[in-house]
Amino acid sequence: MTSQTAIPAPAAPAAPEPAGYRLRWAALAVILAAEVMDLLDTTIVGVASPAIQHDFGGGDAQIQWISASYTLAFAVLLITGGRLGDLFGRKRLFVVGAAGFTVASVLCASAPGAGTLIAARTVQGLFAALLIPQGLGLIKAMFPPKEVGAAFGLFGPVLGLSSVLGPTLGGYLTDADWFGTGWRMVFLINLPLGVLAVLAALKVLPVDRTTRTPGAGRLDPVGVLLLSAAVLLLVYPLVQGRELGWPLWTYAAMAASLPVLRLFTVHQRRVLHRGGTPLIEPSLFAKRAFTSALATGLVFFAAVSGLLLVFTLYLQLGLGWTPLHSGLSMIPLSLGIVLGAVLSGAVLGPRYGRKVLHAGMAVAAAGVLGLWASVEHWATGLTSWELVPALAAAGLGLGLIMAPFFDIALAGVEDSETGSAAGVLNAQQQLGGSIGVALLGTAFFGWAGSDGFRHAAGWTYGLTAGLFAVTFVVAFLLPRHARPQDAPEA
């Protein structure tokens, strides 16, 4: 009796991977240009803040509010901005945000006083919150899965170069005093950038029917109010408290932010139970990569934003350097960010995943401790050259973190959750920045009042290194890799 061997049926062909949007790389360039405008307005203003204070007067809290009013407004509306992109289309919101941001920049440049400037910065932050979260959602919609990592990998070098340009350009424009504008030119520079961004977006971004989320539902106004109140209750007293002598209401407000946030989460569950569309998709918080990234990023971006502000303030207020000198001194930090981002995005991140984040945090903490040592050792004889090794190390560490962070955070996020996820991630980044400016700025000015700028700067750098150490520990909650196939073969 002869045996027969079964012939296996031919395997069904794998479904072809989507090709992606035809103009996706040109559209990515427009998205990155918007990110550059946002980062410029964060870093460029920090260098110009002492000159603004000299013109308008006011206390130390005013310097913090010039930065914090923008990031706070940004953080408050970012999640709503992401949801509005789901509802009305991301291209439309991108164009509205870019146009409003440009007009608000002109209002900042024409401000007659500190209060008007802070109000205009708030409006600028609100429009940025409509603009920026559309970028992550557009990338997810335009790029096939195999190219998403490469698209996010470009964020690090571009943002790193922007961090070079921001302080240097801010210092140059403030010192150059073009047409007698002084520091006002740091806002007017957004006018040509904004106009170009709007025109390019209209030309190359995909039409809204391809980026709108099906079944996105309606906006949740009660959720917007509750979340905004929780953020304001936390950040406002942090910025204003030291100058007012920390009255009882500042502690009460910070404590009240937690129950208001709890009320927001209860309200979101009720909206979902009634069949409505919550402001934040509850399913996001069932994803380990996403929730872990929120905790990691909040501390990390607080440390980075606070560090950048305190560093520029010490160089100008403590050492008497000009804005241009201060901006040029930050070039090693920015070049380190570019190098680290290129290495992590193209080589290290896809292979080593979370280990790259940990390496970056360790190197960044070492660099910041090096800044502390430099400030204490050279004191008033400090020059830009003595800062180069520590700044380059800190920048390298920050760059190593940036590229893989967003890839890991958005891994596993569904298309229907993209708008909400992008808004939450960007809001976490801006909220962390607001907290960092408030916390480290308050610590710096507090120590400077009693012990002088040199010791205040050193101790603030030590506090920043401590925040990086906390981030190092929290990052163990992240998955080892963005996607299983990213892990190296055994």
Side-chain angles (χ1 to χ4, degrees):
M1 186 170 63
T2 59
S3 61
Q4 294 183 347
T5 303
I7 300 175
E17 188 175 273
Y21 173 57
R22 181 174 60 89
L23 298 176
R24 59 189 178 278
W25 293 106
L28 177 62
V30 176
I31 292 167
L32 290 173
E35 295 281 350
V36 167
M37 283 201 306
D38 167 45
L39 189 62
L40 280 178
D41 251 69
T42 302
T43 57
I44 204 171
V45 173
V47 174
S49 292
I52 297 172
Q53 186 188 38
H54 180 268
D55 278 2
F56 290 155
D60 298 332
Q62 180 178 292
I63 290 181
Q64 293 172 264
W65 274 120
I66 291 170
S67 295
S69 59
Y70 175 82
T71 55
L72 181 57
F74 201 168
V76 164
L77 196 63
L78 259 171
I79 295 174
T80 305
R83 174 56 71 190
L84 288 171
D86 288 338
L87 292 170
F88 301 111
R90 297 186 183 113
K91 178 176 181 176
R92 181 178 302 171
L93 267 293
F94 188 98
V95 171
V96 170
F101 183 93
T102 305
V103 173
S105 297
V106 176
L107 295 177
C108 289
S110 58
T116 310
L117 175 59
I118 291 170
R121 286 281 284 166
T122 302
V123 174
Q124 196 181 34
L126 293 176
F127 277 105
L130 298 180
L131 169 66
I132 297 301
Q134 314 313 325
L136 295 180
L138 284 165
I139 290 172
K140 289 277 288 184
M142 294 187 303
F143 284 84
K146 67 179 181 181
E147 294 180 354
V148 168
F152 284 128
L154 289 175
F155 272 71
V158 170
L159 297 185
L161 287 172
S162 302
S163 66
V164 174
L165 182 62
T168 306
L169 183 61
Y172 169 72
L173 292 175
T174 302
D175 280 354
D177 193 24
W178 284 3
F179 313 110
T181 55
W183 56 264
R184 298 177 188 274
M185 188 57 70
V186 305
F187 296 108
L188 289 174
I189 199 69
N190 287 329
L191 184 56
L193 293 176
V195 171
L196 287 174
V198 170
L199 295 176
L202 290 170
K203 183 72 174 176
V204 304
L205 292 185
V207 295
D208 280 331
R209 68 173 178 269
T210 64
T211 63
R212 187 184 289 114
T213 302
R218 298 179 179 179
L219 188 64
D220 173 22
V222 176
V224 172
L225 290 174
L226 289 174
L227 185 59
S228 302
V231 174
L232 285 169
L233 285 169
L234 175 63
V235 178
Y236 182 81
L238 274 176
V239 174
Q240 204 67 35
R242 189 192 68 82
E243 192 161 282
L244 297 178
W246 296 108
L248 181 61
W249 70 261
T250 58
Y251 297 102
M254 288 186 284
S257 66
L258 292 177
V260 173
L261 186 60
R262 172 63 179 168
L263 186 60
F264 167 76
T265 59
V266 171
H267 171 73
Q268 294 296 278
R269 293 195 190 100
R270 288 176 178 171
V271 169
L272 186 64
H273 182 71
R274 293 197 301 263
T277 305
L279 188 62
I280 299 177
E281 293 289 347
S283 57
L284 287 173
F285 298 100
K287 301 179 186 298
R288 175 190 166 194
F290 189 78
T291 55
S292 303
L294 290 181
T296 304
L298 188 68
V299 184
F300 171 71
F301 289 113
V304 173
S305 297
L307 170 66
L308 293 176
L309 176 66
V310 169
F311 183 71
T312 57
L313 289 177
Y314 173 64
L315 296 184
Q316 294 184 62
L317 300 179
L319 297 177
W321 293 4
T322 65
L324 179 57
H325 188 182
S326 301
L328 290 172
S329 298
M330 296 183 71
I331 288 179
L333 176 76
S334 302
L335 293 178
I337 291 175
V338 174
L339 177 60
V342 170
L343 288 174
S344 64
V347 181
L348 301 176
R351 180 168 180 80
Y352 297 106
R354 190 181 69 192
K355 292 180 180 178
V356 180
L357 297 180
H358 278 125
M361 291 165 199
V363 173
V368 173
L369 291 175
L371 284 179
W372 187 1
S374 300
V375 166
E376 291 294 335
H377 180 72
W378 278 284
T380 55
L382 184 70
T383 70
S384 299
W385 293 109
E386 281 85 30
L387 294 170
V388 169
L391 285 174
L396 178 65
L398 298 180
L400 288 173
I401 295 167
M402 287 183 180
F405 174 77
F406 289 106
D407 200 16
I408 290 175
L410 287 175
V413 172
E414 306 296 333
D415 289 342
S416 61
E417 302 166 333
T418 298
S420 183
V424 173
L425 273 178
N426 279 289
Q428 160 248 39
Q429 180 178 346
Q430 298 301 325
L431 178 59
S434 296
I435 292 173
V437 166
L439 177 63
L440 295 180
T442 297
F444 172 75
F445 283 120
W447 283 324
S450 58
D451 300 291
F453 284 114
R454 177 165 65 90
H455 293 304
W459 291 335
T460 308
Y461 298 151
L463 179 58
T464 304
L467 290 176
F468 284 133
V470 171
T471 311
F472 185 95
V473 174
V474 176
F476 279 106
L477 298 172
L478 292 167
R480 294 179 183 273
H481 293 272
R483 289 166 290 276
Q485 61 266 30
D486 287 341
E489 295 180 3

